[in-house]
Amino acid sequence: MTPRQTLAWQVALGLLLMALWEALGQLGAVNYVSRPSLVAAKLALWFGGTVYQHLGTTLIELILGMGIGSSLGIVAGLFLGRAPVAAVVLRPLIVALYSVPLVALAPLFIMFLGLGVLPKIVLVGLVTFFLLFFNTFAGAERIDEDQVHALELMGASRGEIFRKVVAPGTAVWIVGGLKIALPYALVATITGELLATRAGLGFLLSQASERFDMAGLYAVLFILMTIGLLLSEASARLETHLLHWRQGHD
Amino acid sequence: MTEKIRLEAVTKLFNTRGTTTVALKPVDLSVRDNEFVALVGPSGCGKSTILNMVAGLMPASGGRVLYDGAPVAGANRRVGYMTQKDTLLPWRSTADNIRLALELKCRRTAKSEADDRVAQMIDLVGLKGFEKHFPAELSGGMRKRAALARTLIYEPETLLMDEPFGALDAQLKLVMLDQLQRLTQDRRMTVLFVTHDLAEAITLADRIVIFSGRPGRIRSIHDIALPRPRDVYKARFDPDFAHLHATLWDEMKDDVIAAGARA
């Protein structure tokens, strides 16, 4: 199939599903499944004004949490991955911490940090920290020692070995970690918001459910799906950009 | 001439799953400054182990490894080491891999000069047109040549080479041998060269050290008195060459056949 044919089939399938959904709603299940037309009307209303505050809150929590969590995770993973002794000492502690289902910590953060964006940032940061830490650690540990030796014999300093071998050699693993972490970060953000908040998409979601506003519920889910898709597209682009040298491998 | 490398009763033991294997029985060897020494022998006779110890990547189990009269402790930065497995960085293009040593602080080179030297090296090893390719896009022989260029570009005073031309076809191998001879003579490098190929060893070396199979030990050392510069393309048709080849092969063949039977 040509790309154009594939696209045509995909659009046709999407329209068919929409039509089925609309029919199901028209046939009387509207209180459970709403209808695409109602959801669209809701989205139009929200994007006329009120949604931006919530969207902005959620995105800020997500971006700050991911940014801080993944940076710390990468640094810690690179450091411990290249310091075997420290890794042996610290690893059990890290594994023990990671064994706690992290979203279960949300109530704790909310009690410590209140109802604002801070507890969500901490939660998202923690989730992404661990995912990035474990991936980066695995990558840094698997660096080809022969490549390190080659640089040593050339007279490279420790810093140069780090910049020229360890960091680029771990990039594959870091990008992999980011790809895994994105959906988890979104889950952590929404979970935090569902528990207690005054703004954010999670807030819209719980508000809609309290009011039995089915169109509103589906509208939030649609927005979340769109965010998820955009994020995974962005990470795929990042991967192609950073790892272009791997094309010959696959 | 002064002594560059000296092995004094050097031994190597390996422990694997509780069993100790003797890889190298006590070996004594002295390599002079600007000398080209080839190590030949069957697989598993400890030739690569000797290079690793001279490079300081592996400690000796017994005896001493001296470089310029001082014991080798840790990575020996005076040597360039071309290992059997190429260690090109997969995320760098051919040209950027070859440039690597010139980017380091210890011999930081101006960009224009580095560009020139990289271009020269690419020419020398016949990789023109492949500058922008990544290692995964090169053939085994091309990767070997890129690794050779990466080692030669910074002109280390001593070269350790572990079967550098194993993956090359016969004609290209001769071209490489010729270039290597010229370069090592011009820059007065000391070379320790491990190979399976007796003809290659006779073509290049001042001395050939023949090892016998596991556990490795030196069976005999031969001076190769062929005049320099040698014509690598025609050397093998010289009667002296043929005579040497026959003598050395007689010396080696039992071990090689025994090693083959073990494998």
Side-chain angles (χ1 to χ4, degrees), chain B residues 206-220:
Chain B
D206 297 311
R207 275 194 301 156
I208 295 183
V209 181
I210 295 183
F211 281 77
S212 66
R214 202 171 294 181
R217 61 180 180 78
I218 293 177
R219 176 186 272 276
S220 55

Side-chain angles (χ1 to χ4, degrees), chain A residues 143-144 146-147 149-157 160-161 163-166 168-169 244-245 247-249, chain B residues 55 57 75-77 79 81 85 87-92 100-101 103-108 134 136 150 154:
Chain A
I143 288 293
D144 185 346
D146 293 332
Q147 290 173 354
H149 290 322
L151 271 275
E152 267 176 2
L153 293 178
M154 278 181 200
S157 65
E160 283 170 331
I161 289 172
R163 283 197 305 280
K164 292 182 191 298
V165 180
V166 178
H244 58 111
W245 55 271
Q247 275 148 14
H249 282 274
Chain B
L57 299 179
N76 182 353
R77 293 171 172 215
V79 307
Y81 189 4
K85 176 187 145 204
T87 54
L88 297 173
L89 302 178
W91 50 85
R92 282 175 171 248
L100 188 57
E103 291 172 9
L104 301 178
K105 212 181 298 158
C106 58
R107 62 177 81 75
R108 177 73 40 95
F134 291 102
R150 187 182 73 166
Y154 68 99

Side-chain angles (χ1 to χ4, degrees), chain A residues 22 30 99 124 144 147 157-158 175 178 195:
Chain A
E22 183 72 36
V30 66
S99 305
V124 174
D144 185 346
Q147 290 173 354
S157 65
R158 284 180 63 117
V175 173
L178 282 172
L195 284 174

Side-chain angles (χ1 to χ4, degrees), chain A residues 21-91:
Chain A
W21 184 6
E22 183 72 36
L24 204 61
Q26 297 280 11
L27 286 174
V30 66
N31 286 337
Y32 299 100
V33 299
S34 186
R35 287 189 346 233
S37 50
L38 295 176
V39 174
K42 193 68 157 190
L43 284 170
L45 179 71
W46 282 353
F47 278 92
T50 53
V51 83
Y52 295 105
Q53 176 208 355
H54 299 294
L55 192 59
T57 305
T58 298
L59 287 180
I60 282 175
E61 291 162 355
L62 185 68
I63 291 165
L64 280 181
M66 277 230 42
I68 297 168
S70 50
S71 316
L72 293 176
I74 291 168
V75 170
L78 282 173
F79 173 71
L80 284 192
R82 302 305 295 169
V85 179
V88 169
V89 175
L90 288 176
R91 210 166 173 209

Side-chain angles (χ1 to χ4, degrees), chain A residues 219-241:
Chain A
V220 178
L221 292 179
F222 179 81
I223 297 173
L224 288 174
M225 184 180 76
T226 310
I227 295 175
L229 281 174
L230 290 175
L231 288 176
S232 73
E233 178 63 23
S235 63
R237 294 244 170 128
L238 178 74
E239 185 175 30
T240 324
H241 175 70

Side-chain angles (χ1 to χ4, degrees), chain A residues 45-211:
Chain A
L45 179 71
W46 282 353
F47 278 92
T50 53
V51 83
Y52 295 105
Q53 176 208 355
H54 299 294
L55 192 59
T57 305
T58 298
L59 287 180
I60 282 175
E61 291 162 355
L62 185 68
I63 291 165
L64 280 181
M66 277 230 42
I68 297 168
S70 50
S71 316
L72 293 176
I74 291 168
V75 170
L78 282 173
F79 173 71
L80 284 192
R82 302 305 295 169
V85 179
V88 169
V89 175
L90 288 176
R91 210 166 173 209
L93 179 71
I94 292 168
V95 171
L97 282 177
Y98 186 59
S99 305
V100 179
L102 292 174
V103 287
L105 295 174
L108 207 61
F109 296 142
I110 289 165
M111 279 173 30
F112 289 157
L113 302 169
L115 297 178
V117 292
L118 205 53
K120 286 86 171 184
I121 292 175
V122 173
L123 185 65
V124 174
L126 207 61
V127 169
T128 48
F129 169 83
F130 280 109
L131 290 172
L132 264 297
F133 169 77
F134 283 114
N135 251 45
T136 310
F137 180 84
E141 234 185 2
R142 281 170 182 71
I143 288 293
D144 185 346
E145 289 307 317
D146 293 332
Q147 290 173 354
V148 174
H149 290 322
L151 271 275
E152 267 176 2
L153 293 178
M154 278 181 200
S157 65
R158 284 180 63 117
E160 283 170 331
I161 289 172
F162 192 85
R163 283 197 305 280
K164 292 182 191 298
V165 180
V166 178
T170 314
V172 182
W173 296 78
I174 294 177
V175 173
L178 282 172
K179 280 174 77 178
I180 299 169
L182 277 168
Y184 278 97
L186 194 54
V187 169
T189 315
I190 300 303
T191 310
E193 288 179 352
L194 282 174
L195 284 174
T197 199
R198 293 187 217 94
L201 293 174
F203 172 76
L204 278 186
L205 200 60
S206 62
Q207 201 183 40
S209 92
E210 279 160 21
R211 294 175 185 169

